[in-house]
Amino acid sequence: MLSLDRVRQQIAAAEQHQAEQQRSERARPPVPDWLLELGLNQDAAAVYVHVGGCWNAGGRSKGVDRSTALRALTEGVAACPHCRPDTELGVLD
């Protein structure tokens, strides 16, 4: 009987862990559609435009709207070569 109680405790703990993961996923803010990756220092201009969720976007990225991403591309900010936001936005060189 002791092992059955232990199994039940482990099942309850696993169910609780799964419920906590689901709650945290629902509470997570949505991924922005577009990202601007900023330079190294505070005053530096943006260095890349990314599609939201790009695996190559650095930690200095911030979410922006479509018009801001378009403007950045037309003003010379480089498009990420991996996620190709210029193709997604219809802006090609």
Side-chain angles (χ1 to χ4, degrees), residues 5-91:
D5 287 338
R6 183 175 163 102
V7 168
R8 287 181 177 153
Q9 288 173 350
Q10 289 178 340
I11 289 171
E15 289 172 344
Q16 180 180 1
H17 179 72
Q18 184 178 17
E20 289 170 359
Q21 281 184 322
Q22 289 173 351
R23 276 193 300 274
S24 69
E25 287 176 16
R26 285 192 302 268
R28 185 176 299 148
V31 174
D33 292 334
W34 311 102
L35 298 169
L36 274 183
E37 184 174 342
L38 305 175
L40 291 176
N41 61 20
Q42 202 170 21
D43 299 324
V47 291
Y48 281 113
V49 177
H50 296 274
V51 172
C54 175
W55 64 270
N56 198 40
R60 298 176 316 276
S61 298
K62 67 175 186 173
V64 296
D65 60 19
R66 179 182 176 85
S67 63
T68 303
L70 274 169
R71 187 172 57 251
L73 287 171
T74 59
E75 291 176 354
V77 177
C80 171
H82 302 287
C83 65
R84 298 306 310 237
D86 49 348
T87 302
E88 292 286 325
L89 289 165
V91 177

